[in-house]
């Protein structure tokens, strides 16, 4: 992204407000996560965006690999966690089924909906809550896989995947089950979640717990 426009700034500030300024959000998130991870655990935050999940995991004592392909947000994460490089590693990458390059579709006004999935863009336009969102920018980003991430950084205790309909593709790049995986789903557009669950069942005999809403 060569130059920031007012829409980029507005969208960036909107994400910060959603994920860092809602009263009680961080407390609820940590209350959930402390049952899943312990101090010293390695965790992956795939689609780290504004870094709220990374922050909560770090505050619980975990070591976090935060993966975020949007340049504005990966830059913010490097700044936000600059004093905790011992605990947080920020990677400006996308994840998918194979290493290479991928096209990221960005909504500057609503960057939390940016995605690598054209199917998500197509279906979201027919869904309440997404009808007015426009993905007006396309950028090429480097893409790696969960297997390569594990090879480079170790096997995580907990892996969160929130990549706007691209979850099954991320899981296609994983060849071994992980202890705890959190996958985003949209109740009104469940096809990508069904694909992700099918891939998880190929990896292992997982048990599932649906958590409506956001922590």
């Amino acid at each position: 992204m060569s130059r920031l426009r007012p829409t980029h700034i507005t969208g960036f500030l909107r994400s910060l407000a959603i994920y860092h300024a809602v009263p009680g959000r961080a407390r609820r998130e940590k209350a959930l996560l402390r049952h899943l991870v312990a101090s010293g655990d390695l965790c992956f935050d795939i689609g780290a965006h504004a870094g709220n999940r990374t922050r909560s995991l770090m505050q619980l004592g975990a070591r976090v690999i935060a993966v975020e392909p949007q340049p504005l947000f990966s830059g913010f994460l490097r700044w936000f966690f600059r004093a905790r490089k011992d605990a947080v590693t920020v990677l400006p990458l996308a994840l998918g089924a194979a290493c290479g390059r991928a096209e990221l579709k960005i909504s500057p006004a609503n960057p939390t909906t940016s995605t690598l999935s054209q199917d998500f863009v197509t279906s979201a336009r027919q869904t309440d809550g997404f009808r007015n969102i426009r993905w007006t920018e396309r950028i090429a980003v480097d893409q790696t896989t969960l297997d390569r991430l594990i090879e480079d950084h170790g096997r995580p205790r907990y892996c969160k995947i929130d990549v706007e309909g691209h979850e099954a593709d991320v899981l296609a790049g994983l060849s071994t089950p992980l202890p705890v995986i959190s996958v985003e789903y949209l109740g009104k557009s469940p096809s990508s979640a069904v694909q992700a669950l099918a891939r998880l069942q190929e990896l292992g005999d997982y048990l599932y717990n649906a958590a409506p809403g956001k922590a």
Side-chain angles (χ1 to χ4, degrees), residues 144-215:
T144 189
T145 67
L146 274 172
D147 279 343
R148 179 62 63 85
L149 214 60
I150 291 169
E151 181 181 330
D152 291 343
H153 299 280
R155 184 170 181 262
R157 162 68 185 172
Y158 169 82
C159 178
K160 164 248 179 180
I161 307 172
D162 183 351
V163 289
E164 306 305 309
H166 194 62
E167 289 79 13
D169 295 84
V170 172
L171 290 168
L174 176 66
S175 60
T176 182
L178 300 178
V180 183
I181 300 178
S182 168
V183 178
E184 183 197 38
Y185 71 96
L186 296 176
K188 294 183 179 180
S189 183
S191 60
S192 60
V194 171
Q195 294 170 15
L197 294 180
R199 175 56 185 160
L200 284 172
Q201 283 305 115
E202 293 174 352
L203 291 170
D205 187 17
Y206 279 97
L207 298 176
Y208 302 96
N209 180 32
K214 292 184 177 292

Side-chain angles (χ1 to χ4, degrees), residues 113-160:
T113 65
S114 297
T115 180
L116 278 80
S117 172
Q118 182 58 48
D119 287 342
F120 175 82
V121 170
T122 301
S123 62
R125 285 172 174 160
Q126 311 304 318
T127 304
D128 291 341
F130 288 85
R131 295 186 192 277
N132 295 323
I133 293 176
R134 298 292 180 266
W135 291 266
T136 57
E137 296 184 0
R138 304 286 190 273
I139 63 171
V141 295
D142 290 327
Q143 178 173 281
T144 189
T145 67
L146 274 172
D147 279 343
R148 179 62 63 85
L149 214 60
I150 291 169
E151 181 181 330
D152 291 343
H153 299 280
R155 184 170 181 262
R157 162 68 185 172
Y158 169 82
C159 178
K160 164 248 179 180

Side-chain angles (χ1 to χ4, degrees), residues 25-39:
R25 181 181 184 121
R27 174 180 51 79
R28 293 191 298 271
E29 191 168 67
K30 284 189 285 187
L32 171 65
L33 292 171
R34 66 169 42 98
H35 297 290
L36 304 176
V37 302
S39 181

Side-chain angles (χ1 to χ4, degrees), residues 42-142:
L42 175 64
C43 300
F44 289 173
D45 187 356
I46 311 303
H49 197 52
N52 59 296
R53 186 65 56 92
T54 292
R55 179 187 60 184
S56 293
L57 291 166
M58 180 195 71
Q59 290 175 347
L60 291 172
R63 296 182 296 116
V64 188
I65 307 299
V67 181
E68 174 52 52
Q70 293 189 71
L72 180 57
F73 286 90
S74 61
F76 166 74
L77 294 176
R78 285 193 295 268
W79 173 83
F80 191 66
F81 294 110
R82 65 194 182 281
R84 292 304 314 272
K85 292 181 180 179
D86 60 315
V88 177
T89 299
V90 178
L91 301 178
L93 300 170
L95 259 66
C99 297
R101 298 279 280 174
E103 182 185 73
L104 182 65
K105 301 148 191 67
I106 295 177
S107 173
N110 299 275
T112 187
T113 65
S114 297
T115 180
L116 278 80
S117 172
Q118 182 58 48
D119 287 342
F120 175 82
V121 170
T122 301
S123 62
R125 285 172 174 160
Q126 311 304 318
T127 304
D128 291 341
F130 288 85
R131 295 186 192 277
N132 295 323
I133 293 176
R134 298 292 180 266
W135 291 266
T136 57
E137 296 184 0
R138 304 286 190 273
I139 63 171
V141 295
D142 290 327

